[in-house]
Amino acid sequence: MTLLRSLVSCLCVATMIGCSSSPTGRNQLLLFSDNDMAQLGFQSFEQMKQQQKVSTNQKVNQYVQCVADAVTAQVPPQPSFKEWEVVVFDSDQVNAFALPGGKIGVYTGLLKVAENQDQLATVIGHEIAHVLADHSNERLSQNQLANTGLAVTSVAIGASEYKEYQGVTMAALGLGLQYGVILPYGRTQESEADIVGLELMAKAGFDPYQSINLWKNMARASGGNQPPELLSTHPSHSTRISDLTNKANTLPNYAIGKPNCVAVKP
């Protein structure tokens, strides 16, 4: 009885302090503060810069920075950091990510699939949307509440045990692919990031319909190896293309000039 009472009390406290809404109005449980998440993002990003090869190609860096700057200019000021940091990693991975605390990583392999500035902006907008929607916080909180990631609490506030739980923590931040962990974001979160990210890139002056071409490129690049949608944490390419098409059709014509970021292949 005591255990049950403690569990109920814990759930009540979590409900009182952690309930929030995502940018699309979806209910979320967020147990960690913005500052905790920003610190965790900073720690993870610094570690990645030490462990992975950073691109020194000036033109590639300028191109990625140009696109990222245009998208982040549409993001309101954030309470836990002042500036977005962008790093290009020299890797064949077709991937990118954004972490709490304003950290953006782009792999050069992505530039072989994202054929122009609009398609790159689609990916960067999507990853930034994960941060704005507090998806990492939501994932950590779910693990905490399910009693499967209790150690993450100490990690999130900068404890020395960080390395021991690196895999779990990196996965919760959306870095599962890079660390061989099951992809952490669910289909709901991925779809939400698609929609919020599309609005961001369109507000920045990029062509939202290029997001459709991007996912067609992704489908070709995967060689048909994507698992069935019900067995994947990501929406299928066809579902993604359909949802993005519907969203692009409803976006207003934002009165802003189109960015001029010159695409560069690595």
Side-chain angles (χ1 to χ4, degrees), residues 55 57 59-61 63-64 67 88-89 91-96 106-117 119-121 123-124 214 217-218 262-266:
S55 173
N57 187 314
K59 290 185 177 180
V60 167
N61 276 273
Y63 168 50
V64 173
V67 174
V88 179
F89 294 97
S91 169
D92 289 334
Q93 287 191 56
V94 182
N95 209 358
V106 175
Y107 291 88
T108 53
L110 175 63
L111 305 182
K112 299 175 183 178
V113 178
E115 296 176 341
N116 54 46
Q117 63 170 5
Q119 293 181 18
L120 179 58
V123 179
I124 291 177
L214 168 72
N217 295 347
M218 288 287 193
V262 181
V264 177
K265 299 296 181 183

PDB file of all heavy atoms in Angstrom, residues 55 57 59-61 63-64 67 88-89 91-96 106-117 119-121 123-124 214 217-218 262-266:
ATOM      1  N   SER A  55      34.597  18.829 -40.515  1.00  0.00           N
ATOM      2  CA  SER A  55      34.987  19.255 -41.857  1.00  0.00           C
ATOM      3  C   SER A  55      35.720  20.597 -41.811  1.00  0.00           C
ATOM      4  O   SER A  55      35.308  21.524 -41.107  1.00  0.00           O
ATOM      5  CB  SER A  55      33.754  19.385 -42.755  1.00  0.00           C
ATOM      6  OG  SER A  55      34.096  19.960 -44.007  1.00  0.00           O
ATOM      7  N   ASN A  57      36.400  22.022 -44.855  1.00  0.00           N
ATOM      8  CA  ASN A  57      36.110  22.561 -46.176  1.00  0.00           C
ATOM      9  C   ASN A  57      35.364  23.883 -46.013  1.00  0.00           C
ATOM     10  O   ASN A  57      34.207  23.914 -45.597  1.00  0.00           O
ATOM     11  CB  ASN A  57      35.260  21.562 -46.968  1.00  0.00           C
ATOM     12  CG  ASN A  57      35.053  21.986 -48.407  1.00  0.00           C
ATOM     13  OD1 ASN A  57      34.728  23.136 -48.705  1.00  0.00           O
ATOM     14  ND2 ASN A  57      35.225  21.043 -49.334  1.00  0.00           N
ATOM     15  N   LYS A  59      34.115  26.140 -48.110  1.00  0.00           N
ATOM     16  CA  LYS A  59      32.913  26.389 -48.906  1.00  0.00           C
ATOM     17  C   LYS A  59      31.725  25.580 -48.388  1.00  0.00           C
ATOM     18  O   LYS A  59      30.599  26.074 -48.348  1.00  0.00           O
ATOM     19  CB  LYS A  59      33.184  26.063 -50.371  1.00  0.00           C
ATOM     20  CG  LYS A  59      34.129  27.046 -51.059  1.00  0.00           C
ATOM     21  CD  LYS A  59      34.268  26.738 -52.541  1.00  0.00           C
ATOM     22  CE  LYS A  59      35.152  27.765 -53.235  1.00  0.00           C
ATOM     23  NZ  LYS A  59      35.299  27.486 -54.690  1.00  0.00           N
ATOM     24  N   VAL A  60      31.980  24.336 -47.995  1.00  0.00           N
ATOM     25  CA  VAL A  60      30.915  23.506 -47.448  1.00  0.00           C
ATOM     26  C   VAL A  60      30.400  24.112 -46.142  1.00  0.00           C
ATOM     27  O   VAL A  60      29.183  24.200 -45.911  1.00  0.00           O
ATOM     28  CB  VAL A  60      31.402  22.060 -47.217  1.00  0.00           C
ATOM     29  CG1 VAL A  60      30.404  21.278 -46.369  1.00  0.00           C
ATOM     30  CG2 VAL A  60      31.616  21.358 -48.550  1.00  0.00           C
ATOM     31  N   ASN A  61      31.310  24.542 -45.289  1.00  0.00           N
ATOM     32  CA  ASN A  61      30.917  25.143 -44.017  1.00  0.00           C
ATOM     33  C   ASN A  61      30.121  26.427 -44.227  1.00  0.00           C
ATOM     34  O   ASN A  61      29.125  26.676 -43.533  1.00  0.00           O
ATOM     35  CB  ASN A  61      32.145  25.418 -43.152  1.00  0.00           C
ATOM     36  CG  ASN A  61      32.597  24.195 -42.368  1.00  0.00           C
ATOM     37  OD1 ASN A  61      32.119  23.944 -41.265  1.00  0.00           O
ATOM     38  ND2 ASN A  61      33.514  23.428 -42.939  1.00  0.00           N
ATOM     39  N   TYR A  63      28.291  27.219 -46.806  1.00  0.00           N
ATOM     40  CA  TYR A  63      26.987  26.870 -47.363  1.00  0.00           C
ATOM     41  C   TYR A  63      26.032  26.397 -46.270  1.00  0.00           C
ATOM     42  O   TYR A  63      24.901  26.887 -46.157  1.00  0.00           O
ATOM     43  CB  TYR A  63      27.167  25.788 -48.428  1.00  0.00           C
ATOM     44  CG  TYR A  63      25.900  25.119 -48.897  1.00  0.00           C
ATOM     45  CD1 TYR A  63      24.797  25.871 -49.300  1.00  0.00           C
ATOM     46  CD2 TYR A  63      25.814  23.718 -48.935  1.00  0.00           C
ATOM     47  CE1 TYR A  63      23.633  25.243 -49.739  1.00  0.00           C
ATOM     48  CE2 TYR A  63      24.648  23.093 -49.376  1.00  0.00           C
ATOM     49  CZ  TYR A  63      23.561  23.859 -49.773  1.00  0.00           C
ATOM     50  OH  TYR A  63      22.420  23.242 -50.209  1.00  0.00           O
ATOM     51  N   VAL A  64      26.486  25.469 -45.446  1.00  0.00           N
ATOM     52  CA  VAL A  64      25.638  24.941 -44.378  1.00  0.00           C
ATOM     53  C   VAL A  64      25.291  26.040 -43.379  1.00  0.00           C
ATOM     54  O   VAL A  64      24.143  26.157 -42.928  1.00  0.00           O
ATOM     55  CB  VAL A  64      26.317  23.751 -43.673  1.00  0.00           C
ATOM     56  CG1 VAL A  64      25.509  23.305 -42.453  1.00  0.00           C
ATOM     57  CG2 VAL A  64      26.502  22.586 -44.644  1.00  0.00           C
ATOM     58  N   VAL A  67      22.509  28.377 -44.782  1.00  0.00           N
ATOM     59  CA  VAL A  67      21.167  27.804 -44.690  1.00  0.00           C
ATOM     60  C   VAL A  67      20.686  27.789 -43.241  1.00  0.00           C
ATOM     61  O   VAL A  67      19.546  28.164 -42.936  1.00  0.00           O
ATOM     62  CB  VAL A  67      21.143  26.375 -45.276  1.00  0.00           C
ATOM     63  CG1 VAL A  67      19.780  25.725 -45.046  1.00  0.00           C
ATOM     64  CG2 VAL A  67      21.470  26.397 -46.768  1.00  0.00           C
ATOM     65  N   VAL A  88      29.885  21.124 -39.193  1.00  0.00           N
ATOM     66  CA  VAL A  88      29.765  20.141 -40.268  1.00  0.00           C
ATOM     67  C   VAL A  88      30.733  19.002 -39.972  1.00  0.00           C
ATOM     68  O   VAL A  88      31.932  19.230 -39.777  1.00  0.00           O
ATOM     69  CB  VAL A  88      30.084  20.766 -41.636  1.00  0.00           C
ATOM     70  CG1 VAL A  88      29.963  19.712 -42.741  1.00  0.00           C
ATOM     71  CG2 VAL A  88      29.154  21.937 -41.916  1.00  0.00           C
ATOM     72  N   PHE A  89      30.204  17.782 -39.926  1.00  0.00           N
ATOM     73  CA  PHE A  89      31.029  16.604 -39.674  1.00  0.00           C
ATOM     74  C   PHE A  89      31.338  15.908 -40.990  1.00  0.00           C
ATOM     75  O   PHE A  89      30.444  15.710 -41.824  1.00  0.00           O
ATOM     76  CB  PHE A  89      30.327  15.649 -38.712  1.00  0.00           C
ATOM     77  CG  PHE A  89      30.147  16.200 -37.323  1.00  0.00           C
ATOM     78  CD1 PHE A  89      28.957  16.787 -36.940  1.00  0.00           C
ATOM     79  CD2 PHE A  89      31.190  16.141 -36.407  1.00  0.00           C
ATOM     80  CE1 PHE A  89      28.792  17.308 -35.664  1.00  0.00           C
ATOM     81  CE2 PHE A  89      31.045  16.655 -35.130  1.00  0.00           C
ATOM     82  CZ  PHE A  89      29.843  17.241 -34.752  1.00  0.00           C
ATOM     83  N   SER A  91      31.632  13.015 -42.852  1.00  0.00           N
ATOM     84  CA  SER A  91      31.185  11.629 -42.745  1.00  0.00           C
ATOM     85  C   SER A  91      30.206  11.331 -43.872  1.00  0.00           C
ATOM     86  O   SER A  91      29.494  12.221 -44.345  1.00  0.00           O
ATOM     87  CB  SER A  91      30.508  11.390 -41.393  1.00  0.00           C
ATOM     88  OG  SER A  91      29.845  10.141 -41.367  1.00  0.00           O
ATOM     89  N   ASP A  92      30.151  10.068 -44.285  1.00  0.00           N
ATOM     90  CA  ASP A  92      29.220   9.659 -45.328  1.00  0.00           C
ATOM     91  C   ASP A  92      27.795   9.487 -44.810  1.00  0.00           C
ATOM     92  O   ASP A  92      26.882   9.205 -45.598  1.00  0.00           O
ATOM     93  CB  ASP A  92      29.683   8.339 -45.956  1.00  0.00           C
ATOM     94  CG  ASP A  92      30.934   8.518 -46.821  1.00  0.00           C
ATOM     95  OD1 ASP A  92      31.147   9.638 -47.329  1.00  0.00           O
ATOM     96  OD2 ASP A  92      31.686   7.535 -46.982  1.00  0.00           O
ATOM     97  N   GLN A  93      27.590   9.640 -43.521  1.00  0.00           N
ATOM     98  CA  GLN A  93      26.237   9.508 -42.977  1.00  0.00           C
ATOM     99  C   GLN A  93      25.302  10.518 -43.636  1.00  0.00           C
ATOM    100  O   GLN A  93      25.627  11.701 -43.755  1.00  0.00           O
ATOM    101  CB  GLN A  93      26.229   9.764 -41.468  1.00  0.00           C
ATOM    102  CG  GLN A  93      26.834   8.662 -40.635  1.00  0.00           C
ATOM    103  CD  GLN A  93      26.550   8.871 -39.165  1.00  0.00           C
ATOM    104  OE1 GLN A  93      25.392   8.978 -38.773  1.00  0.00           O
ATOM    105  NE2 GLN A  93      27.584   8.937 -38.356  1.00  0.00           N
ATOM    106  N   VAL A  94      24.144  10.051 -44.048  1.00  0.00           N
ATOM    107  CA  VAL A  94      23.119  10.946 -44.598  1.00  0.00           C
ATOM    108  C   VAL A  94      22.253  11.373 -43.415  1.00  0.00           C
ATOM    109  O   VAL A  94      21.191  10.805 -43.150  1.00  0.00           O
ATOM    110  CB  VAL A  94      22.283  10.234 -45.680  1.00  0.00           C
ATOM    111  CG1 VAL A  94      21.251  11.184 -46.275  1.00  0.00           C
ATOM    112  CG2 VAL A  94      23.192   9.696 -46.778  1.00  0.00           C
ATOM    113  N   ASN A  95      22.740  12.397 -42.705  1.00  0.00           N
ATOM    114  CA  ASN A  95      22.104  12.706 -41.432  1.00  0.00           C
ATOM    115  C   ASN A  95      22.422  14.122 -40.978  1.00  0.00           C
ATOM    116  O   ASN A  95      23.348  14.767 -41.487  1.00  0.00           O
ATOM    117  CB  ASN A  95      22.580  11.710 -40.366  1.00  0.00           C
ATOM    118  CG  ASN A  95      21.549  11.485 -39.284  1.00  0.00           C
ATOM    119  OD1 ASN A  95      20.478  12.094 -39.285  1.00  0.00           O
ATOM    120  ND2 ASN A  95      21.846  10.604 -38.340  1.00  0.00           N
ATOM    121  N   ALA A  96      21.652  14.580 -40.034  1.00  0.00           N
ATOM    122  CA  ALA A  96      21.870  15.857 -39.352  1.00  0.00           C
ATOM    123  C   ALA A  96      21.150  15.768 -38.021  1.00  0.00           C
ATOM    124  O   ALA A  96      20.348  14.846 -37.789  1.00  0.00           O
ATOM    125  CB  ALA A  96      21.341  17.022 -40.184  1.00  0.00           C
ATOM    126  N   VAL A 106      25.647  18.758 -39.005  1.00  0.00           N
ATOM    127  CA  VAL A 106      25.277  18.298 -40.344  1.00  0.00           C
ATOM    128  C   VAL A 106      26.404  17.423 -40.869  1.00  0.00           C
ATOM    129  O   VAL A 106      27.581  17.819 -40.811  1.00  0.00           O
ATOM    130  CB  VAL A 106      25.038  19.478 -41.307  1.00  0.00           C
ATOM    131  CG1 VAL A 106      24.784  18.979 -42.733  1.00  0.00           C
ATOM    132  CG2 VAL A 106      23.862  20.330 -40.822  1.00  0.00           C
ATOM    133  N   TYR A 107      26.070  16.247 -41.377  1.00  0.00           N
ATOM    134  CA  TYR A 107      27.059  15.345 -41.945  1.00  0.00           C
ATOM    135  C   TYR A 107      27.176  15.600 -43.452  1.00  0.00           C
ATOM    136  O   TYR A 107      26.157  15.818 -44.128  1.00  0.00           O
ATOM    137  CB  TYR A 107      26.675  13.889 -41.671  1.00  0.00           C
ATOM    138  CG  TYR A 107      26.789  13.520 -40.213  1.00  0.00           C
ATOM    139  CD1 TYR A 107      25.721  13.715 -39.340  1.00  0.00           C
ATOM    140  CD2 TYR A 107      27.971  13.018 -39.690  1.00  0.00           C
ATOM    141  CE1 TYR A 107      25.827  13.397 -37.992  1.00  0.00           C
ATOM    142  CE2 TYR A 107      28.088  12.692 -38.348  1.00  0.00           C
ATOM    143  CZ  TYR A 107      27.013  12.890 -37.500  1.00  0.00           C
ATOM    144  OH  TYR A 107      27.131  12.580 -36.167  1.00  0.00           O
ATOM    145  N   THR A 108      28.399  15.562 -43.952  1.00  0.00           N
ATOM    146  CA  THR A 108      28.613  15.874 -45.365  1.00  0.00           C
ATOM    147  C   THR A 108      27.883  14.896 -46.280  1.00  0.00           C
ATOM    148  O   THR A 108      27.526  15.250 -47.402  1.00  0.00           O
ATOM    149  CB  THR A 108      30.115  15.875 -45.709  1.00  0.00           C
ATOM    150  OG1 THR A 108      30.714  14.631 -45.280  1.00  0.00           O
ATOM    151  CG2 THR A 108      30.830  17.027 -45.020  1.00  0.00           C
ATOM    152  N   GLY A 109      27.622  13.671 -45.819  1.00  0.00           N
ATOM    153  CA  GLY A 109      26.870  12.719 -46.618  1.00  0.00           C
ATOM    154  C   GLY A 109      25.478  13.212 -46.965  1.00  0.00           C
ATOM    155  O   GLY A 109      24.917  12.846 -48.010  1.00  0.00           O
ATOM    156  N   LEU A 110      24.899  14.051 -46.100  1.00  0.00           N
ATOM    157  CA  LEU A 110      23.568  14.593 -46.365  1.00  0.00           C
ATOM    158  C   LEU A 110      23.563  15.462 -47.611  1.00  0.00           C
ATOM    159  O   LEU A 110      22.567  15.500 -48.346  1.00  0.00           O
ATOM    160  CB  LEU A 110      23.091  15.401 -45.161  1.00  0.00           C
ATOM    161  CG  LEU A 110      21.754  16.131 -45.315  1.00  0.00           C
ATOM    162  CD1 LEU A 110      20.607  15.133 -45.517  1.00  0.00           C
ATOM    163  CD2 LEU A 110      21.481  17.024 -44.105  1.00  0.00           C
ATOM    164  N   LEU A 111      24.679  16.152 -47.876  1.00  0.00           N
ATOM    165  CA  LEU A 111      24.738  17.086 -49.002  1.00  0.00           C
ATOM    166  C   LEU A 111      24.719  16.372 -50.345  1.00  0.00           C
ATOM    167  O   LEU A 111      24.522  17.010 -51.379  1.00  0.00           O
ATOM    168  CB  LEU A 111      25.994  17.964 -48.883  1.00  0.00           C
ATOM    169  CG  LEU A 111      26.140  18.737 -47.564  1.00  0.00           C
ATOM    170  CD1 LEU A 111      27.393  19.597 -47.592  1.00  0.00           C
ATOM    171  CD2 LEU A 111      24.907  19.580 -47.291  1.00  0.00           C
ATOM    172  N   LYS A 112      24.918  15.064 -50.325  1.00  0.00           N
ATOM    173  CA  LYS A 112      24.834  14.284 -51.564  1.00  0.00           C
ATOM    174  C   LYS A 112      23.388  13.903 -51.881  1.00  0.00           C
ATOM    175  O   LYS A 112      23.087  13.506 -53.006  1.00  0.00           O
ATOM    176  CB  LYS A 112      25.697  13.023 -51.444  1.00  0.00           C
ATOM    177  CG  LYS A 112      27.175  13.309 -51.215  1.00  0.00           C
ATOM    178  CD  LYS A 112      27.958  12.025 -50.975  1.00  0.00           C
ATOM    179  CE  LYS A 112      29.425  12.324 -50.677  1.00  0.00           C
ATOM    180  NZ  LYS A 112      30.207  11.087 -50.390  1.00  0.00           N
ATOM    181  N   VAL A 113      22.523  14.014 -50.892  1.00  0.00           N
ATOM    182  CA  VAL A 113      21.108  13.661 -51.067  1.00  0.00           C
ATOM    183  C   VAL A 113      20.233  14.919 -51.086  1.00  0.00           C
ATOM    184  O   VAL A 113      19.298  15.016 -51.877  1.00  0.00           O
ATOM    185  CB  VAL A 113      20.648  12.702 -49.955  1.00  0.00           C
ATOM    186  CG1 VAL A 113      19.164  12.370 -50.101  1.00  0.00           C
ATOM    187  CG2 VAL A 113      21.485  11.427 -49.982  1.00  0.00           C
ATOM    188  N   ALA A 114      20.528  15.868 -50.210  1.00  0.00           N
ATOM    189  CA  ALA A 114      19.849  17.166 -50.223  1.00  0.00           C
ATOM    190  C   ALA A 114      20.512  18.008 -51.310  1.00  0.00           C
ATOM    191  O   ALA A 114      21.585  18.561 -51.117  1.00  0.00           O
ATOM    192  CB  ALA A 114      19.972  17.847 -48.860  1.00  0.00           C
ATOM    193  N   GLU A 115      19.858  18.098 -52.454  1.00  0.00           N
ATOM    194  CA  GLU A 115      20.515  18.580 -53.662  1.00  0.00           C
ATOM    195  C   GLU A 115      20.617  20.098 -53.764  1.00  0.00           C
ATOM    196  O   GLU A 115      21.369  20.606 -54.606  1.00  0.00           O
ATOM    197  CB  GLU A 115      19.781  18.037 -54.892  1.00  0.00           C
ATOM    198  CG  GLU A 115      19.844  16.510 -54.992  1.00  0.00           C
ATOM    199  CD  GLU A 115      19.046  15.969 -56.158  1.00  0.00           C
ATOM    200  OE1 GLU A 115      18.155  16.712 -56.660  1.00  0.00           O
ATOM    201  OE2 GLU A 115      19.305  14.827 -56.575  1.00  0.00           O
ATOM    202  N   ASN A 116      19.865  20.833 -52.963  1.00  0.00           N
ATOM    203  CA  ASN A 116      19.902  22.296 -53.050  1.00  0.00           C
ATOM    204  C   ASN A 116      19.631  22.907 -51.679  1.00  0.00           C
ATOM    205  O   ASN A 116      19.386  22.184 -50.702  1.00  0.00           O
ATOM    206  CB  ASN A 116      18.910  22.800 -54.096  1.00  0.00           C
ATOM    207  CG  ASN A 116      17.496  22.267 -53.858  1.00  0.00           C
ATOM    208  OD1 ASN A 116      16.994  22.291 -52.737  1.00  0.00           O
ATOM    209  ND2 ASN A 116      16.856  21.765 -54.915  1.00  0.00           N
ATOM    210  N   GLN A 117      19.657  24.233 -51.602  1.00  0.00           N
ATOM    211  CA  GLN A 117      19.494  24.911 -50.320  1.00  0.00           C
ATOM    212  C   GLN A 117      18.126  24.644 -49.697  1.00  0.00           C
ATOM    213  O   GLN A 117      17.995  24.566 -48.475  1.00  0.00           O
ATOM    214  CB  GLN A 117      19.704  26.415 -50.487  1.00  0.00           C
ATOM    215  CG  GLN A 117      18.701  27.110 -51.404  1.00  0.00           C
ATOM    216  CD  GLN A 117      18.816  28.627 -51.350  1.00  0.00           C
ATOM    217  OE1 GLN A 117      19.714  29.177 -50.696  1.00  0.00           O
ATOM    218  NE2 GLN A 117      17.909  29.321 -52.018  1.00  0.00           N
ATOM    219  N   GLN A 119      16.267  21.905 -49.953  1.00  0.00           N
ATOM    220  CA  GLN A 119      16.224  20.557 -49.386  1.00  0.00           C
ATOM    221  C   GLN A 119      17.059  20.475 -48.111  1.00  0.00           C
ATOM    222  O   GLN A 119      16.661  19.816 -47.151  1.00  0.00           O
ATOM    223  CB  GLN A 119      16.694  19.540 -50.424  1.00  0.00           C
ATOM    224  CG  GLN A 119      15.738  19.417 -51.603  1.00  0.00           C
ATOM    225  CD  GLN A 119      16.178  18.391 -52.627  1.00  0.00           C
ATOM    226  OE1 GLN A 119      17.001  17.517 -52.350  1.00  0.00           O
ATOM    227  NE2 GLN A 119      15.646  18.482 -53.838  1.00  0.00           N
ATOM    228  N   LEU A 120      18.191  21.149 -48.086  1.00  0.00           N
ATOM    229  CA  LEU A 120      18.992  21.181 -46.858  1.00  0.00           C
ATOM    230  C   LEU A 120      18.231  21.917 -45.758  1.00  0.00           C
ATOM    231  O   LEU A 120      18.250  21.496 -44.591  1.00  0.00           O
ATOM    232  CB  LEU A 120      20.340  21.854 -47.116  1.00  0.00           C
ATOM    233  CG  LEU A 120      21.274  21.976 -45.914  1.00  0.00           C
ATOM    234  CD1 LEU A 120      21.585  20.609 -45.311  1.00  0.00           C
ATOM    235  CD2 LEU A 120      22.571  22.686 -46.303  1.00  0.00           C
ATOM    236  N   ALA A 121      17.546  22.987 -46.116  1.00  0.00           N
ATOM    237  CA  ALA A 121      16.754  23.737 -45.134  1.00  0.00           C
ATOM    238  C   ALA A 121      15.621  22.879 -44.572  1.00  0.00           C
ATOM    239  O   ALA A 121      15.236  23.035 -43.411  1.00  0.00           O
ATOM    240  CB  ALA A 121      16.181  24.998 -45.773  1.00  0.00           C
ATOM    241  N   VAL A 123      15.793  19.668 -43.912  1.00  0.00           N
ATOM    242  CA  VAL A 123      16.376  18.812 -42.874  1.00  0.00           C
ATOM    243  C   VAL A 123      16.732  19.633 -41.642  1.00  0.00           C
ATOM    244  O   VAL A 123      16.423  19.238 -40.504  1.00  0.00           O
ATOM    245  CB  VAL A 123      17.622  18.076 -43.408  1.00  0.00           C
ATOM    246  CG1 VAL A 123      18.226  17.205 -42.309  1.00  0.00           C
ATOM    247  CG2 VAL A 123      17.271  17.229 -44.619  1.00  0.00           C
ATOM    248  N   ILE A 124      17.391  20.770 -41.855  1.00  0.00           N
ATOM    249  CA  ILE A 124      17.797  21.599 -40.712  1.00  0.00           C
ATOM    250  C   ILE A 124      16.559  22.103 -39.960  1.00  0.00           C
ATOM    251  O   ILE A 124      16.530  22.107 -38.719  1.00  0.00           O
ATOM    252  CB  ILE A 124      18.678  22.764 -41.185  1.00  0.00           C
ATOM    253  CG1 ILE A 124      20.041  22.218 -41.663  1.00  0.00           C
ATOM    254  CG2 ILE A 124      18.880  23.792 -40.067  1.00  0.00           C
ATOM    255  CD1 ILE A 124      20.978  23.274 -42.215  1.00  0.00           C
ATOM    256  N   LEU A 214      13.076  16.134 -51.532  1.00  0.00           N
ATOM    257  CA  LEU A 214      14.091  15.614 -50.608  1.00  0.00           C
ATOM    258  C   LEU A 214      13.756  14.189 -50.200  1.00  0.00           C
ATOM    259  O   LEU A 214      14.624  13.301 -50.246  1.00  0.00           O
ATOM    260  CB  LEU A 214      14.186  16.492 -49.368  1.00  0.00           C
ATOM    261  CG  LEU A 214      15.012  15.868 -48.229  1.00  0.00           C
ATOM    262  CD1 LEU A 214      16.488  15.880 -48.564  1.00  0.00           C
ATOM    263  CD2 LEU A 214      14.749  16.573 -46.902  1.00  0.00           C
ATOM    264  N   ASN A 217      14.299  11.725 -52.796  1.00  0.00           N
ATOM    265  CA  ASN A 217      15.734  11.414 -52.857  1.00  0.00           C
ATOM    266  C   ASN A 217      16.128  10.443 -51.751  1.00  0.00           C
ATOM    267  O   ASN A 217      16.920   9.516 -51.959  1.00  0.00           O
ATOM    268  CB  ASN A 217      16.571  12.697 -52.715  1.00  0.00           C
ATOM    269  CG  ASN A 217      16.386  13.663 -53.873  1.00  0.00           C
ATOM    270  OD1 ASN A 217      15.830  13.293 -54.911  1.00  0.00           O
ATOM    271  ND2 ASN A 217      16.848  14.884 -53.695  1.00  0.00           N
ATOM    272  N   MET A 218      15.581  10.659 -50.552  1.00  0.00           N
ATOM    273  CA  MET A 218      15.861   9.780 -49.424  1.00  0.00           C
ATOM    274  C   MET A 218      15.397   8.358 -49.725  1.00  0.00           C
ATOM    275  O   MET A 218      16.085   7.375 -49.407  1.00  0.00           O
ATOM    276  CB  MET A 218      15.170  10.305 -48.161  1.00  0.00           C
ATOM    277  CG  MET A 218      15.783  11.554 -47.581  1.00  0.00           C
ATOM    278  SD  MET A 218      17.367  11.222 -46.762  1.00  0.00           S
ATOM    279  CE  MET A 218      17.603  12.766 -45.871  1.00  0.00           C
ATOM    280  N   VAL A 262      24.699  29.229 -51.838  1.00  0.00           N
ATOM    281  CA  VAL A 262      25.197  28.481 -53.003  1.00  0.00           C
ATOM    282  C   VAL A 262      25.525  27.057 -52.587  1.00  0.00           C
ATOM    283  O   VAL A 262      26.394  26.808 -51.753  1.00  0.00           O
ATOM    284  CB  VAL A 262      26.455  29.164 -53.585  1.00  0.00           C
ATOM    285  CG1 VAL A 262      26.951  28.396 -54.800  1.00  0.00           C
ATOM    286  CG2 VAL A 262      26.133  30.596 -53.979  1.00  0.00           C
ATOM    287  N   ALA A 263      24.803  26.106 -53.191  1.00  0.00           N
ATOM    288  CA  ALA A 263      24.973  24.706 -52.845  1.00  0.00           C
ATOM    289  C   ALA A 263      26.370  24.223 -53.216  1.00  0.00           C
ATOM    290  O   ALA A 263      26.908  24.568 -54.267  1.00  0.00           O
ATOM    291  CB  ALA A 263      23.926  23.853 -53.554  1.00  0.00           C
ATOM    292  N   VAL A 264      26.949  23.420 -52.324  1.00  0.00           N
ATOM    293  CA  VAL A 264      28.293  22.884 -52.533  1.00  0.00           C
ATOM    294  C   VAL A 264      28.249  21.391 -52.239  1.00  0.00           C
ATOM    295  O   VAL A 264      27.681  20.955 -51.224  1.00  0.00           O
ATOM    296  CB  VAL A 264      29.332  23.556 -51.606  1.00  0.00           C
ATOM    297  CG1 VAL A 264      30.702  22.920 -51.805  1.00  0.00           C
ATOM    298  CG2 VAL A 264      29.381  25.047 -51.884  1.00  0.00           C
ATOM    299  N   LYS A 265      28.843  20.597 -53.095  1.00  0.00           N
ATOM    300  CA  LYS A 265      28.966  19.169 -52.846  1.00  0.00           C
ATOM    301  C   LYS A 265      30.297  18.883 -52.159  1.00  0.00           C
ATOM    302  O   LYS A 265      31.324  19.457 -52.523  1.00  0.00           O
ATOM    303  CB  LYS A 265      28.887  18.379 -54.161  1.00  0.00           C
ATOM    304  CG  LYS A 265      27.575  18.550 -54.917  1.00  0.00           C
ATOM    305  CD  LYS A 265      26.399  18.006 -54.119  1.00  0.00           C
ATOM    306  CE  LYS A 265      25.093  18.171 -54.898  1.00  0.00           C
ATOM    307  NZ  LYS A 265      23.930  17.725 -54.120  1.00  0.00           N
ATOM    308  N   PRO A 266      30.311  17.999 -51.164  1.00  0.00           N
ATOM    309  CA  PRO A 266      31.553  17.711 -50.434  1.00  0.00           C
ATOM    310  C   PRO A 266      32.549  16.953 -51.305  1.00  0.00           C
ATOM    311  O   PRO A 266      32.179  16.315 -52.274  1.00  0.00           O
ATOM    312  CB  PRO A 266      31.076  16.852 -49.261  1.00  0.00           C
ATOM    313  CG  PRO A 266      29.793  16.256 -49.735  1.00  0.00           C
ATOM    314  CD  PRO A 266      29.162  17.252 -50.648  1.00  0.00           C
TER     315      PRO A 266
END
